[in-house]
């Protein structure tokens, strides 16, 4: 099973600032990685798939990069609605698809 | 807009079977993979398994011996059964569209295992 490790666990950022979240895989994934945003009491929402392709309706301030074992989600200018938990998820090696433990982005 | 809605008992007794259904509206269930994911309170996400509309299934090995998924294309819904549940199976259960990246999710349903 591929282990996904996200860092940091918590990221404190001021509105308008840039946030950079990291995700590392225990084995190479190519570009088979997705990012999700989850707010309290809500289901996750797909942000990025294929490591760098924004899902439908996702603002351009969200961008994904990386391949292999190292991936990054960047939020260029944090808006109030972006404070949430972010998960990466690999879909290169089944079984099973696996998620990182999450990075919480909170208000500084 | 594709909408997914989970339904089923919110409370299941230990050793019994958890049964959930996900009804899809706003689009056809055909020709897609459909998945179940769960999340214990305050914890991360665990992929339970996925099913194609042909009926092909792929289960997480950690749960494989207890999981059964099925699909009913005539009713645009798919289902999850988890046998012999314990307190460790208490979680919010989500259904979602996709066999890899998941682009539509249900709101989730809390299932508590307790006597």
């Amino acid at each position: 099973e591929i282990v996904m490790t996200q860092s940091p666990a918590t990221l404190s950022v001021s509105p308008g600032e840039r946030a950079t979240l990291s995700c590392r895989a225990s084995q190479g994934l190519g570009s088979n990685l997705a990012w999700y945003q989850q707010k309290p009491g809500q289901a996750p929402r797909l942000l990025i798939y294929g490591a760098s392709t924004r899902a439908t309706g996702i603002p351009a301030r969200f961008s994904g990069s990386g391949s292999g074992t190292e991936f990054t989600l960047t939020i260029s200018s944090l808006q109030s609605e972006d404070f949430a938990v972010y998960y990466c998820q690999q879909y290169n090696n089944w079984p099973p698809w696996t998620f990182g433990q999450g990075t919480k982005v909170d208000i500084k | 807009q594709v909408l997914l809605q989970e339904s089923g008992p919110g409370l299941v007794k230990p050793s019994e079977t958890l049964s959930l259904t996900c009804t899809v509206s706003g689009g056809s269930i055909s020709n897609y993979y459909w998945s179940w994911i769960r999340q214990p309170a305050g914890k991360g996400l665990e992929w339970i398994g996925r099913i194609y509309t042909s009926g092909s299934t792929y289960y997480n090995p950690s749960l494989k011996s207890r999981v059964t998924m099925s699909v009913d294309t005539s009713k645009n819904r798919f289902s999850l059964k988890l046998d012999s549940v314990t307190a460790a199976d208490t979680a919010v259960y989500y259904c979602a569209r996709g066999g890899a990246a998941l682009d539509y999710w249900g709101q989730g349903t809390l299932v508590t295992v307790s006597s």
Side-chain angles (χ1 to χ4, degrees), chain A residues 17-97:
Chain A
E17 288 187 342
R18 174 187 294 257
T20 302
L21 289 67
S22 295
C23 176
R24 174 177 292 178
S26 60
Q27 299 177 35
L29 306 179
S31 296
N32 295 316
L33 183 107
W35 289 95
Y36 300 86
Q37 175 194 68
Q38 187 178 33
K39 297 179 181 179
Q42 296 185 18
R45 176 175 70 143
L46 178 65
L47 298 175
I48 301 284
Y49 63 93
S52 61
T53 302
R54 277 190 301 277
T56 302
I58 301 304
R61 64 181 181 273
F62 291 92
S63 63
S65 63
S67 66
T69 61
E70 301 282 345
F71 300 88
T72 300
L73 174 70
T74 301
I75 311 171
S76 59
S77 177
L78 268 159
Q79 306 298 302
S80 58
E81 62 266 30
D82 300 335
F83 293 97
V85 178
Y86 292 83
Y87 293 95
C88 61
Q89 173 239 322
Q90 69 84 16
Y91 52 93
N92 191 67
N93 285 43
W94 177 274
W97 303 149

